[in-house]
Amino acid sequence: VCAVGGDRVALVARGDTFSFAGGCSAVQSIAVSFAPTSAGSYLSLVSYNEGDTVADSQLRVDNIRLTRSTVDFECQAPGAFPTAGGDCGFVTGTTGSGGSVTASAAPSCGMPTSGTQYARLLAGANIDIPGGGTIARPLAANVSEVRVAIPTGASHVSFDYSFNNAEGTQGTYIDGYDVAVVDSTGALLFQCVKGDASTAPVGCSGPAHFNSGMPAAPAGAYLSLVCFNSLDTSVDSILLVDSICFVGRPRLTFSAPLGAGSLASRIDCANPFDFVLMPVTLAPGAFPFGAFYGVDISLLDLFAQVGGGAPFFTTTDAKGVYEFGPIPGLPSGLTIYATVLDGLTSPNPRVGLPAAFTIP
């Protein structure tokens, strides 16, 4: 992966004639993650001769997918949020005026629903929208907004959200929220969720989950998150958002919620009510370039885990989530290597990035 000037920012794969015997190597698959790229970055594919041109080797490449399937707020410092440029969560910050936006680590209204942080949008825009109405898009200049980049071609979106209504049900000062997929100009492509104080009781609604197909996202499309005041800014309502997924591949994460010797796993961004496979091995092998989608696991162990059922082979819930654990009493310092697949009944299963975790 190279920056616009050609400097390498991430090494994906490499090899030479000392890596394997003459002839054609077996077809290999690789899935790696790397830091967010700047504008103009590209994937560079190179095959070269060294010292002679008597016999030319060949590199064959197929099925390249560059995805940004998930957006987390864990990379933000609690209490801070990006303002102008992008960041490691592909979040571009706020526009307009008024309400502040922060990444919070303080549990509130059922958040966070995964990880340790979530986005907290404080209503600040003073606009006039009737109860049950839809905010005009493109947005007016005084509307505060958070923009989350969507991968080109993504056709599914899911996220968790909660609205904390500060003013109660009434018909004049109607605070509200609106989440929508928009194009690069801000024009509406797909309405996800909206709500306001005309029907919502005072207080926190509690976490809700949105999960839906959408029109394939064009280049430059983004998820627009808005929380607004109507006609006053005396009391500000709050919109909380977490676990944004543009489903392109399932995600596997590990944690130790009980401290030393504990382990829990979470699969999310998967298809709802789908079979998922999480092969696990203790052998590092060539991780994350192992023979089975990044992990080096024997065929015998793979069959044993499929036959053993959960947590290795199981199904997701309506949110496309499966959680296991936490379990205590495991040896500290033990490292596990794993990956995750869903869509197992389709000709082309979707493969998540391989994950390694050392038990504290």
Side-chain angles (χ1 to χ4, degrees):
V1 179
C2 296
V4 64
D7 292 334
R8 183 172 59 214
V9 296
L11 179 63
V12 176
R14 65 181 177 88
D16 54 42
T17 54
F18 291 96
S19 303
F20 48 83
C24 186
S25 69
V27 175
Q28 301 178 70
S29 179
I30 187 171
V32 299
S33 59
F34 45 86
T37 54
S38 58
S41 298
Y42 57 92
L43 184 67
S44 171
L45 313 175
V46 175
S47 183
Y48 59 87
N49 283 312
E50 183 180 19
D52 77 314
T53 55
V54 174
D56 293 325
S57 299
Q58 297 179 15
L59 173 67
R60 299 173 183 176
V61 181
D62 199 7
N63 297 326
I64 297 175
R65 294 183 300 163
L66 300 175
T67 64
R68 297 187 302 233
S69 61
T70 62
V71 174
D72 293 318
F73 301 102
E74 277 62 52
C75 57
Q76 310 296 336
F81 213 78
T83 53
D87 76 329
C88 58
F90 300 100
V91 180
T92 59
T94 60
T95 62
S97 61
S100 62
V101 180
T102 58
S104 179
S108 177
C109 296
M111 299 287 181
T113 51
S114 67
T116 59
Q117 296 180 186
Y118 55 92
R120 184 178 184 270
L121 289 74
L122 187 69
N126 186 355
I127 56 181
D128 187 6
I129 298 179
T134 302
I135 196 168
R137 293 182 181 275
L139 297 171
N142 67 330
V143 177
S144 296
E145 175 194 30
V146 171
R147 298 178 177 180
V148 182
I150 301 177
T152 301
S155 58
H156 200 106
V157 59
S158 66
F159 54 88
D160 296 329
Y161 68 100
S162 182
F163 180 58
N164 192 340
N165 178 12
E167 294 189 320
T169 304
Q170 39 74 40
T172 303
Y173 305 106
I174 306 172
D175 293 0
Y177 63 93
D178 187 290
V179 181
V181 175
V182 299
D183 67 16
S184 58
T185 70
L188 179 67
L189 295 175
F190 179 72
Q191 184 74 54
C192 297
V193 293
K194 65 175 184 175
D196 57 50
S198 65
T199 57
V202 66
C204 184
S205 65
H209 183 72
F210 179 80
N211 190 328
S212 175
M214 65 179 188
Y222 58 91
L223 186 69
S224 171
L225 315 176
V226 173
C227 188
F228 59 85
N229 281 310
S230 181
L231 299 179
D232 79 314
T233 56
S234 58
V235 184
D236 294 324
S237 298
I238 300 170
L239 175 67
L240 309 178
V241 181
D242 200 10
S243 302
I244 299 174
C245 293
F246 305 109
V247 177
R249 62 172 61 183
R251 174 175 57 176
L252 172 64
T253 54
F254 293 100
S255 61
L258 302 181
S262 67
L263 178 68
S265 65
R266 175 184 171 92
I267 297 170
D268 58 12
C269 298
N271 292 319
F273 302 117
D274 196 4
F275 291 106
V276 286
L277 173 63
M278 183 185 69
V280 176
T281 180
L282 302 180
F287 182 89
F289 309 126
F292 190 80
Y293 300 107
V295 297
D296 276 327
I297 183 171
S298 71
L299 195 59
L300 184 62
D301 285 344
L302 184 62
F303 286 159
Q305 291 179 15
V306 171
F312 309 107
F313 181 67
T314 185
T315 55
T316 58
D317 62 15
K319 294 183 178 183
V321 172
Y322 172 76
E323 294 183 301
F324 173 75
I327 54 175
L330 299 176
S332 295
L334 182 68
T335 301
I336 60 176
Y337 305 88
T339 190
V340 60
L341 297 83
D342 74 348
L344 300 177
T345 59
S346 71
N348 298 297
R350 304 184 318 154
V351 185
L353 296 175
F357 184 76
T358 300
I359 298 169

